[in-house]
Amino acid sequence: MKLEELLVQLRAEKEIKELRGSSETEVTGIVYDTRKEITTGNLFVCISGAVFDGHEYAQTAVAAGASVIVAERELTLSGDATLVLVKDTRKALAYLSAAWFDYPAKRLVTIGITGTKGKTTTAYMVHHILEKVGIKAGLIGTVEVRNGAETISASHTTPESYLLQKYFKEMVENGCKAVVMEVSSQALKLHRVGGVTFDYGVFTNLEPDHIGPNEHTDFDDYAECKSRLFAQCRFGILNGDDPMMSRMLMGSTCDYMTIGCGEGADIQAIEIDQHRTDGKLMVSYKTKGVLQAEIAVPVPGMFTVYNSLTAAAICRALHVPVEVMQKAFLEVQVKGRLESVHISPKFSLMIDYAHNAMSLKSLLTALKEYQPKRLVCLFGCGGNRSRDRRFEMGEISSRYADLTIVTSDNPRFEEPEAIIDDILTGVKKADGAYVTVPDRKEAIRYAILNAQDEDVIVLAGKGHEDYQEIKGVKYPMDERVLIKEILSEMTQEEKERLQIIV
């Protein structure tokens, strides 16, 4: 492909400051990671990262055969490589990548979801419903990427722009008609979704988070980055109950609608009922406004109301029949996000990713609404991370759960017992009962074997993760697998006493 073909969008957006050399230069590939091999004819984009500056690698790239260098500051290059000076190389990478893969997003219905919480659950709900109605859809998010043919583990909530465009291309080739994706604030800040005009932009909520070194300088910066989604989407769907909704629309010209529980929302949830059915924690409600339906979801909590309302609004926009949507909601299950593991009608067992004090408090508060006989919280904390998090999570669990089971998470290069001691410092600040069982499988076994009628047991912290990291090595450990092993190892008497469903 000739360089000029790749520069079309950059020229249209007036992002090019200067071009030295020929725009007719033939490009054989795009490279932006200095760890990747550069071959003859490649275009190398100089990205300034937190640790390494790609500009320092430019001459090495030329020596390796790069025919084009894209940079945002002056460079002196030997040889005949073409130099393209741009305002922002991250934005340039996004536009160049879209052109390289022939703008695949234009052949998909694109749904981007942003917010502090709820992105993953909402994305899975929408994806599940679209598949049920026969619309083959891709999925990009925190847990995984589904490109229509295979499932790929995710390393970022929103991948780098080149990889994102590659996934879009694969989705088109695999017959997908739509894509549902999480759009993080970092992705918006670093232009990973640059050049993409979303058909639908979604806002779930906004709370102080991701503020600190290498993330956002303050809450205003965080909010501003989130709001960028609505400057690059055709239609917005926003949580009208969130006080930051109007902030999200600053600078936006898109049409939009609101969802919520308060009066005035375009789709409003009414008659909300949180209840338990045969050990499953449910939420059901009716909607009024531009969508009138009865919705039930086997995922607990008020945040499920908001997530499912958002999903319902998207489905309405895509003309999904109400009865299909209702049936699909009853089957929704999001890996590691209040994921129900139905093993007995006597008690409820679930897996959740809550791994900091804010998310653990939100989780336990939501579960207490179901008035369990006991709320049991099993969790550990990661090694080589903030000790304050351990103190905070310990106190939160002890304050909101009736029983805390302190165990191991990813100890990394720390001793599990030292991490547990830190957690117990926090646990002892409140008055909840607690036990310590360092081995996670044994801790889960303890929770199940000691379950009482109408208990709600939550395994927190690991969520979708299927490994445990110890001394730099990741060992396989999936809580779903552990639960199956524990059930297979139980005696018949234990199974009968706990009414285990085999």
Side-chain angles (χ1 to χ4, degrees):
M1 181 181 290
K2 292 189 183 301
L3 174 60
E4 185 58 39
E5 297 176 72
L6 295 173
L7 297 179
V8 172
Q9 200 169 6
L10 283 171
R11 288 193 188 281
E13 298 290 333
K14 294 181 170 51
E15 288 294 322
I16 299 175
K17 295 190 291 187
E18 187 177 353
L19 189 151
R20 297 176 191 167
S22 173
S23 63
E24 293 300 305
T25 301
E26 196 69 30
V27 175
T28 59
I30 297 174
V31 180
Y32 60 93
D33 188 337
T34 57
R35 295 167 295 184
K36 303 295 184 183
E37 182 183 1
I38 294 176
T39 57
T40 302
N42 282 177
L43 178 153
F44 179 71
V45 184
C46 301
I47 300 294
S48 299
V51 177
F52 188 79
D53 186 350
H55 290 80
E56 298 174 3
Y57 191 78
Q59 184 56 55
T60 303
V62 172
S67 61
V68 180
I69 301 294
V70 177
E72 58 189 24
R73 68 169 186 258
E74 281 288 349
L75 291 174
T76 301
L77 303 173
S78 61
D80 57 359
T82 295
L83 176 64
V84 183
L85 290 172
V86 297
K87 296 177 182 177
D88 188 314
T89 51
R90 287 191 179 275
K91 185 181 291 187
L93 176 62
Y95 291 170
L96 291 165
S97 300
W100 178 256
F101 290 105
D102 194 22
Y103 306 100
K106 292 182 178 180
R107 296 187 288 282
L108 296 164
V109 176
T110 47
I111 303 163
I113 303 171
T114 199
T116 304
K117 294 184 292 188
K119 297 187 297 296
T120 299
T121 301
T122 304
Y124 270 86
M125 284 181 175
V126 175
H127 181 269
H128 177 74
I129 294 170
L130 293 182
E131 292 275 310
K132 281 293 181 182
V133 80
I135 300 174
K136 190 173 184 179
L139 176 72
I140 298 173
T142 304
V143 178
E144 62 194 8
V145 174
R146 299 182 186 178
N147 67 6
E150 61 180 333
T151 299
I152 305 156
S153 295
S155 56
H156 293 89
T157 297
T158 311
E160 186 55 81
S161 57
Y162 179 88
L163 194 54
L164 177 66
Q165 296 293 338
K166 179 176 179 287
Y167 288 147
F168 286 162
K169 179 74 169 180
E170 291 170 352
M171 290 173 190
V172 171
E173 291 174 342
N174 293 330
C176 291
K177 302 300 180 185
V179 57
V180 187
M181 65 177 290
E182 299 178 50
V183 184
S184 68
S185 56
Q186 281 291 297
L188 289 158
K189 181 177 182 177
L190 300 176
H191 305 292
R192 292 178 189 162
V193 292
V196 179
T197 300
F198 288 92
D199 292 296
Y200 300 95
V202 177
F203 168 65
T204 59
N205 51 63
L206 198 72
E207 296 179 8
D209 199 6
H210 301 292
I211 297 168
N214 300 323
E215 290 195 272
H216 298 284
T217 55
D218 52 32
F219 185 62
D220 188 62
D221 177 53
Y222 179 50
E224 191 278 325
C225 288
K226 288 287 190 188
S227 71
R228 293 179 189 180
L229 177 62
F230 300 95
Q232 60 183 93
C233 76
R234 294 186 174 90
F235 190 83
I237 297 171
L238 298 97
N239 177 359
D241 292 347
D242 193 281
M244 295 300 288
M245 188 204 81
S246 59
R247 177 68 179 84
M248 291 299 102
L249 293 170
M250 286 178 61
S252 168
T253 57
C254 69
D255 292 328
Y256 69 93
M257 67 178 297
T258 60
I259 61 93
C261 300
E263 289 291 338
D266 294 309
I267 300 179
Q268 181 188 354
I270 59 173
E271 300 180 29
I272 299 167
D273 181 25
Q274 301 185 67
H275 59 279
R276 186 195 311 232
T277 302
D278 294 329
K280 295 179 182 179
L281 303 185
M282 305 283 295
V283 62
S284 60
Y285 58 91
K286 295 179 181 179
T287 66
K288 71 174 187 177
V290 298
L291 174 68
Q292 297 180 21
E294 294 184 10
I295 294 173
V297 191
V299 182
M302 278 300 298
F303 33 74
T304 295
V305 175
Y306 285 98
N307 294 340
S308 56
L309 272 176
T310 302
I314 295 169
C315 291
R316 172 189 173 274
L318 295 176
H319 307 293
V320 174
V322 170
E323 59 273 17
V324 174
M325 180 174 65
Q326 290 171 318
K327 183 178 179 181
F329 272 130
L330 286 170
E331 301 169 348
V332 162
Q333 190 75 278
V334 183
K335 188 175 183 180
R337 299 301 194 276
L338 277 173
E339 177 186 355
S340 176
V341 185
H342 189 47
I343 64 173
S344 170
K346 287 171 64 71
F347 61 92
S348 303
L349 175 64
M350 53 192 51
I351 297 171
D352 193 81
Y353 188 53
H355 59 288
N356 58 40
M358 181 178 72
S359 58
L360 187 63
K361 180 180 178 180
S362 177
L363 168 66
L364 298 179
T365 301
L367 294 178
K368 284 183 78 70
E369 291 292 321
Y370 289 81
Q371 299 181 342
K373 182 175 183 179
R374 293 187 310 167
L375 177 55
V376 179
C377 178
L378 179 153
F379 80 99
C381 288
N384 303 106
R385 298 293 188 268
S386 169
R387 292 182 68 198
D388 287 343
R389 175 179 291 188
R390 303 169 192 176
F391 305 146
E392 292 166 357
M393 290 185 69
E395 183 175 358
I396 288 294
S397 184
S398 185
R399 193 172 303 282
Y400 290 90
D402 299 292
L403 173 64
T404 297
I405 303 174
V406 185
T407 186
S408 186
D409 193 293
N410 293 322
R412 298 186 177 89
F413 291 94
E414 288 193 65
E415 293 301 322
E417 291 78 8
I419 299 172
I420 288 172
D421 285 344
D422 282 343
I423 295 171
L424 291 177
T425 298
V427 168
K428 293 172 183 176
K429 290 182 179 180
D431 56 4
Y434 68 90
V435 296
T436 61
V437 187
D439 182 277
R440 198 166 185 105
K441 179 178 177 179
E442 293 308 311
I444 296 171
R445 190 195 309 276
Y446 178 91
I448 293 173
L449 290 180
N450 289 279
Q452 299 178 17
D453 288 4
E454 298 184 16
D455 274 359
V456 172
I457 303 168
V458 60
L459 314 181
K462 295 299 290 179
H464 59 276
E465 293 180 353
D466 57 4
Y467 64 87
Q468 185 174 44
E469 186 177 346
I470 304 172
K471 305 294 185 185
V473 179
K474 290 185 177 181
Y475 297 91
M477 191 189 76
D478 187 319
E479 290 185 321
R480 298 148 200 81
V481 174
L482 296 183
I483 291 167
K484 288 180 180 178
E485 291 176 355
I486 291 165
L487 297 184
S488 69
E489 294 161 2
M490 290 172 61
T491 66
Q492 187 60 34
E493 181 183 349
E494 289 169 335
K495 290 179 180 179
E496 290 175 0
R497 174 173 61 83
L498 295 166
Q499 296 183 23
I500 298 298
I501 301 168
V502 180

